[in-house]
Amino acid sequence: MHKALIVAMADRDEAHAQLVASSVLHVHEMETERKKNDRLTRKLVIAEKLNAEGSGAGGSFFLGSDEVAQKHNMSANAMQSSDEELLAMCQQLSSEIKSKTAASLEIVRLKESHKIKRETEKTRRDEMQNEIDALKQQLATERLKRAEAEESAKKWQQSFYEAVSSVGENDDDCETNGSTAK
């Protein structure tokens, strides 16, 4: 039963950790989509401004193709580093959840183990106390039997002495009667 409880709690904690991790990943995906939408919106605004000022090719010529490429690279790098940071945070969160879950499971296991140990010791003490009580009762019974046996032995001994002494008196009487008969 103890093992089943530990397995059930481990399954529950693992499911909880997966739920939290999926929630974090969902938030990350939503944040990534929001940033992507913001970036695309800014690009659209810039493209509309460039179209308003002149043609697309002419606008990039006047702005300089290097500047446009640099801005594009910076936004792509920022998004990639942001994704890496969020992924690293998710991994860290996942490892912290796993370690906390493992620690919680260990605490529960130790508590259950300690509880079972106490119950076992209590049962053992109760059994030993019952055995001691039974032995005390048996000792009292044996003492009574010994006292009765000693009493009976004294009575038999007294009866024997009385019988021996009465036989001795009868012998004396026999001798006395026999010497007078002669």
Side-chain angles (χ1 to χ4, degrees):
M1 185 167 95
H2 177 66
K3 288 180 182 178
L5 174 67
I6 289 175
V7 169
M9 290 177 69
D11 290 344
R12 180 202 65 195
D13 292 338
E14 186 177 327
H16 180 69
Q18 288 176 351
L19 181 64
V20 169
S22 67
S23 175
V24 169
L25 288 175
H26 177 71
V27 168
H28 170 65
E29 289 173 1
M30 294 301 294
E31 186 67 23
T32 303
E33 287 296 319
R34 186 187 61 77
K35 285 182 180 181
K36 185 178 178 182
N37 286 341
D38 288 346
R39 188 172 36 87
L40 289 175
T41 304
R42 281 183 275 154
K43 279 187 176 182
L44 181 63
V45 169
I46 291 172
E48 286 176 352
K49 282 183 183 178
L50 289 176
N51 279 340
E53 290 176 5
S55 68
S60 66
F61 175 74
F62 289 114
L63 280 176
S65 59
D66 288 341
E67 281 183 38
V68 172
Q70 231 177 10
K71 286 183 181 180
H72 181 28
N73 285 341
M74 284 194 321
S75 67
N77 287 340
M79 186 171 161
Q80 185 178 7
S81 67
S82 159
D83 287 346
E84 289 173 359
E85 285 178 20
L86 285 174
L87 186 59
M89 287 173 56
C90 287
Q91 289 172 345
Q92 181 182 1
L93 178 63
S94 176
S95 68
E96 287 177 8
I97 289 171
K98 284 180 183 177
S99 64
K100 186 174 181 177
T101 302
S104 296
L105 285 173
E106 184 65 17
I107 289 170
V108 168
R109 186 191 68 77
L110 289 173
K111 283 181 180 179
E112 288 295 322
S113 175
H114 186 64
K115 180 181 174 185
I116 290 170
K117 194 180 216 181
R118 280 193 318 247
E119 289 174 356
T120 303
E121 287 176 0
K122 184 181 182 305
T123 303
R124 198 148 109 259
R125 276 194 308 266
D126 290 345
E127 288 173 355
M128 290 173 78
Q129 186 63 43
N130 290 340
E131 187 176 345
I132 288 171
D133 292 342
L135 289 173
K136 282 181 180 179
Q137 188 174 5
Q138 185 179 0
L139 177 64
T141 304
E142 292 298 323
R143 283 183 177 165
L144 284 174
K145 286 180 182 179
R146 187 195 76 209
E148 289 173 1
E150 285 177 353
E151 185 70 28
S152 177
K154 283 181 183 178
K155 286 180 182 177
W156 280 104
Q157 190 177 18
Q158 188 177 7
S159 296
F160 176 73
Y161 288 139
E162 287 175 4
V164 168
S165 64
S166 69
V167 168
E169 287 177 11
N170 286 339
D171 285 343
D172 288 341
D173 286 341
C174 289
E175 286 179 14
T176 319
N177 290 337
S179 52
T180 46
K182 288 183 177 177

